[in-house]
Amino acid sequence: MSRRASFFIRLDGDWMEDEKVRQLRRKDGYEGVGVYLALLTLMIRYKDTAYQIPYSQLDIIAEEDIHIPSERLYEIVNDCIDISLFKFGTDLKTFYSARRKNELMAAEKTREKQVKAAFETNKKLGRLTDKSSVSV
């Protein structure tokens, strides 16, 4: 198991019955649904681009992460955009899931608050002298 920060993707019990997921399943089968879920998990890597996946990274993602032909990945991503499971970023060079992006940004804010609170507590207890002693 990875030593990276743990995270989860919320899947409601009836998520497969969501109309957008049903459209994706009709268009791209379970392969499309699996790729969609894989991309949701990969969004955490793209903190530097506000959790938006650069469209230019799809060739690398296809080869290194999802192991499908890049043409197929482009097809599925474009289908997800057409169905509105993903949205283009304002620059039209990235795409993202609004719900997943909001979840990741909320988790980031929570971690920042926790780090700040830990620093302040340790400072009051005389355990720290500078903020660099606390890490996320």
Side-chain angles (χ1 to χ4, degrees), residues 68-125:
I68 63 173
S70 60
E71 299 81 20
R72 182 67 177 130
L73 180 56
Y74 280 99
E75 288 174 16
I76 293 170
V77 167
N78 289 328
D79 289 343
C80 287
I81 290 169
D82 291 344
I83 294 168
S84 297
L85 287 167
F86 289 137
K87 296 179 180 183
F88 271 119
T90 55
D91 60 2
L92 300 179
K93 295 180 181 180
T94 58
F95 66 93
Y96 64 96
S97 160
R99 178 178 173 181
R100 182 71 176 135
K101 179 179 175 178
N102 290 339
E103 289 172 351
L104 289 167
M105 293 180 89
E108 182 180 338
K109 286 181 183 179
T110 299
R111 280 189 303 275
E112 289 170 1
K113 287 179 185 178
Q114 290 170 338
V115 167
K116 184 177 179 181
F119 172 75
E120 293 300 325
T121 299
N122 286 323
K123 186 176 175 182
K124 287 178 186 175
L125 296 173

Side-chain angles (χ1 to χ4, degrees), residues 2-3 10-11 20 26-27 33 39 50 57-58 68 80-81 83 89-90 96 101 109-110 123 128 131 134:
S2 174
R3 291 191 175 262
R10 184 182 330 245
L11 291 176
K20 293 176 183 177
R26 279 193 297 275
K27 180 119 176 121
V33 173
L39 290 168
Q57 294 291 305
L58 288 180
I68 63 173
C80 287
I81 290 169
I83 294 168
T90 55
Y96 64 96
K101 179 179 175 178
K109 286 181 183 179
T110 299
K123 186 176 175 182
L128 299 179
K131 198 169 188 171
V134 178

Side-chain angles (χ1 to χ4, degrees), residues 7-13 15 37 40 99-100 103:
F7 67 94
F8 66 96
I9 294 176
R10 184 182 330 245
L11 291 176
D12 300 326
W15 76 275
L37 289 174
L40 290 177
R99 178 178 173 181
R100 182 71 176 135
E103 289 172 351

